[in-house]
């Protein structure tokens, strides 16, 4: 694919607060229709219509483009939000995030990680040992951007997600975001649940176990959500932040998408402690 790509980013606000954001990498032919879709999204958000919306479009330098493969995806079925959070914590612990760091991240998401108990616009950066928050701005956080996929991957992924009844924007965008995040060697893992009140699913992701989603990682109606990236101690924060925010990554291949499994089945199969 040697066609020129554009990065397109949208940020919207409502009553002075962050409402939604989105990003994509597209060729010229899809630029206008993508812009129209992003405008519609900001106007039809589940938390109300945006009253301010910004679109930023940049031509991508082809020499800076990196290529990626999406993570494997699995849905883990748990009986309750509490159980799902406990299992998510166990998975994070397996890749080297301490119990303390897991607890700090979950507490911040529960309380609203931005000042005033609101949701952040981007992600927290959390020291995987101490649980200390490292992002420079606790309202904005770090926003992963400049991610997209080839048309061929899009078609294949759409069919695979449809077969699992998962072809929605939350899943599609989270898979791309988690895919880019997992490419950085200083990030051990990621934890996320949505800030959209009617979307209760969340996930943990790492290059070791892929993208593991939980249909109920927060209670329905909850407007606090967010993301935590767990960093190795001594990570270069400036390098990491710049890469996440501005390095363009085009995904070209899907991972394997598995049907839903129960926790015990997954844990037995993977040799994970069931606690
Ligand atoms: N970069 C970093 N953090 C972000 C970004 C980004 N580009 N976009 C959103 N966030 C953070 C921000 O704190 C939001 O408040 C929070 O994540 C949630 O964003 O079924 O829909 O777009 O497998 O509401 C995950 C489960 C859904 C999908 C996540 O996130 C599934 C979701 P939302
Ligand atoms: Mg949201």
């Amino acid at each position: 694919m040697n066609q020129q790509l554009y990065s397109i980013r949208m940020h919207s606000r409502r009553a002075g607060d962050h409402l939604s954001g989105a990003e994509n990498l597209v060729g010229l032919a899809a630029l206008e229709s993508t812009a129209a879709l992003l405008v519609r999204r900001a106007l039809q958000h589940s938390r109300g219509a945006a009253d301010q919306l910004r679109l930023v479009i940049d031509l991508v330098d082809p020499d800076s483009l990196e290529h990626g493969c999406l993570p494997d995806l699995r849905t883990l079925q748990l009986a309750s939000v509490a159980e799902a959070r406990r299992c998510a914590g166990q998975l994070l612990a397996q890749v080297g995030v301490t119990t303390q760091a897991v607890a700090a991240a979950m507490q911040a998401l529960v309380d609203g990680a931005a000042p005033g108990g609101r949701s952040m616009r981007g992600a927290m950066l959390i020291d995987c040992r101490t649980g200390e928050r490292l992002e420079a701005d606790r309202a904005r956080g770090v926003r992963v951007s400049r991610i997209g996929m080839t048309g061929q991957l899009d078609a294949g992924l759409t069919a695979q997600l449809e077969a699992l009844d998962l072809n929605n924007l939350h899943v599609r965008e989270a898979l791309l975001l988690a895919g880019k995040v997992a490419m950085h060697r200083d990030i051990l893992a990621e934890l996320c649940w949505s800030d959209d009140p009617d979307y209760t699913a969340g996930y943990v992701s790492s290059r070791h176990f892929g993208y593991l989603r939980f249909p109920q990682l927060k209670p329905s109606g909850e407007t606090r959500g967010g993301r935590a990236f767990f960093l190795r101690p001594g990570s270069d924060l400036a390098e990491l932040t710049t890469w996440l925010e501005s390095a363009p990554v085009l995904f070209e291949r899907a991972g394997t998408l598995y049907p839903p499994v129960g926790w015990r089945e997954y844990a037995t199969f993977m040799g994970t402690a069931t606690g």
Side-chain angles (χ1 to χ4, degrees), residues 263-272 274:
W263 173 251
R264 197 156 290 279
E265 195 185 337
Y266 174 76
T268 307
F269 177 65
M270 301 303 281
T272 305
T274 52

Side-chain angles (χ1 to χ4, degrees), residues 23 119-123 142-145 170-171 174 177 192-196 199 201-203 211 213 225-227 229:
E23 45 283 306
S119 290
M120 297 171 73
R121 302 197 290 283
V142 174
R143 272 204 72 94
V144 180
S145 191
H170 292 273
V171 177
L177 189 151
C192 164
W193 62 77
S194 179
D195 59 353
D196 295 11
Y199 203 81
Y203 65 89
Y211 179 99
R213 54 188 302 280
R227 285 184 154 90
F229 303 156

Side-chain angles (χ1 to χ4, degrees), residues 121-185:
R121 302 197 290 283
M124 295 183 275
L125 302 180
I126 294 196
D127 184 303
C128 73
R129 295 215 184 133
T130 63
E132 187 192 348
R133 281 176 67 177
L134 304 169
E135 72 279 6
D137 178 338
R138 289 196 173 193
R140 182 179 181 280
V142 174
R143 272 204 72 94
V144 180
S145 191
R146 299 186 200 229
I147 39 182
M149 61 182 134
T150 60
Q152 201 178 355
L153 172 55
D154 193 326
L157 185 69
T158 299
Q160 285 196 68
L161 286 173
E162 265 168 7
L164 294 172
D165 204 16
L166 285 178
N167 190 35
N168 67 64
L169 272 178
H170 292 273
V171 177
R172 296 173 62 94
E173 295 187 343
L175 256 183
L176 285 178
L177 189 151
K180 180 172 179 182
V181 169
M183 283 167 73
H184 200 290
R185 58 178 316 274

Side-chain angles (χ1 to χ4, degrees), residues 251-267:
F251 288 89
E252 297 181 326
R253 277 179 300 137
T256 307
L257 277 59
Y258 295 93
V261 284
W263 173 251
R264 197 156 290 279
E265 195 185 337
Y266 174 76

Side-chain angles (χ1 to χ4, degrees), residues 1-274:
M1 195 164 141
N2 2 344
Q3 164 212 31
Q4 285 196 316
L5 286 176
Y6 293 82
S7 153
I8 177 163
R9 291 177 286 153
M10 180 275 283
H11 174 219
S12 72
R13 297 169 70 85
R14 178 180 164 85
D17 278 339
H18 166 74
L19 179 66
S20 72
E23 45 283 306
N24 207 342
L25 294 179
V26 295
L28 185 58
L31 194 53
E32 277 187 50
S33 57
T34 304
L37 278 177
L38 293 178
V39 171
R40 187 192 306 165
R41 259 177 80 171
L43 295 177
Q44 296 184 348
H45 197 275
S46 61
R47 281 186 285 140
D51 47 40
Q52 182 193 77
L53 134 68
R54 299 211 165 128
L55 276 180
V56 179
I57 296 174
D58 297 288
L59 184 62
V60 170
D61 170 7
D63 294 334
S64 68
L65 188 65
E66 297 179 48
H67 302 270
C69 177
L70 291 176
D72 292 349
L73 172 150
R74 274 195 174 82
T75 299
L76 302 182
Q77 290 171 321
L78 277 302
S80 65
V81 172
E83 280 287 283
R85 288 187 183 168
R86 191 178 64 79
C87 295
Q90 259 189 41
L91 291 160
L92 292 169
Q94 267 186 15
V95 297
V97 183
T98 63
T99 316
Q100 192 182 343
V102 170
M106 288 202 184
Q107 194 60 51
L109 292 182
V110 167
D111 294 341
R118 294 161 195 252
S119 290
M120 297 171 73
R121 302 197 290 283
M124 295 183 275
L125 302 180
I126 294 196
D127 184 303
C128 73
R129 295 215 184 133
T130 63
E132 187 192 348
R133 281 176 67 177
L134 304 169
E135 72 279 6
D137 178 338
R138 289 196 173 193
R140 182 179 181 280
V142 174
R143 272 204 72 94
V144 180
S145 191
R146 299 186 200 229
I147 39 182
M149 61 182 134
T150 60
Q152 201 178 355
L153 172 55
D154 193 326
L157 185 69
T158 299
Q160 285 196 68
L161 286 173
E162 265 168 7
L164 294 172
D165 204 16
L166 285 178
N167 190 35
N168 67 64
L169 272 178
H170 292 273
V171 177
R172 296 173 62 94
E173 295 187 343
L175 256 183
L176 285 178
L177 189 151
K180 180 172 179 182
V181 169
M183 283 167 73
H184 200 290
R185 58 178 316 274
D186 284 338
I187 304 180
L188 288 186
E190 177 188 353
L191 166 69
C192 164
W193 62 77
S194 179
D195 59 353
D196 295 11
D198 51 5
Y199 203 81
T200 61
Y203 65 89
V204 291
S205 155
S206 85
R207 63 190 145 276
H208 303 289
F209 51 66
Y211 179 99
L212 297 175
R213 54 188 302 280
F214 299 89
Q216 276 185 286
L217 203 51
K218 73 158 195 198
S220 180
E222 176 58 70
T223 57
R224 285 165 295 193
R227 285 184 154 90
F229 303 156
F230 296 98
L231 309 192
R232 288 181 202 284
S235 297
D236 180 342
L237 294 181
E239 183 278 333
L240 181 109
T241 302
T242 304
W243 186 82
L244 289 172
E245 297 194 335
S246 44
V249 177
L250 183 68
F251 288 89
E252 297 181 326
R253 277 179 300 137
T256 307
L257 277 59
Y258 295 93
V261 284
W263 173 251
R264 197 156 290 279
E265 195 185 337
Y266 174 76
T268 307
F269 177 65
M270 301 303 281
T272 305
T274 52

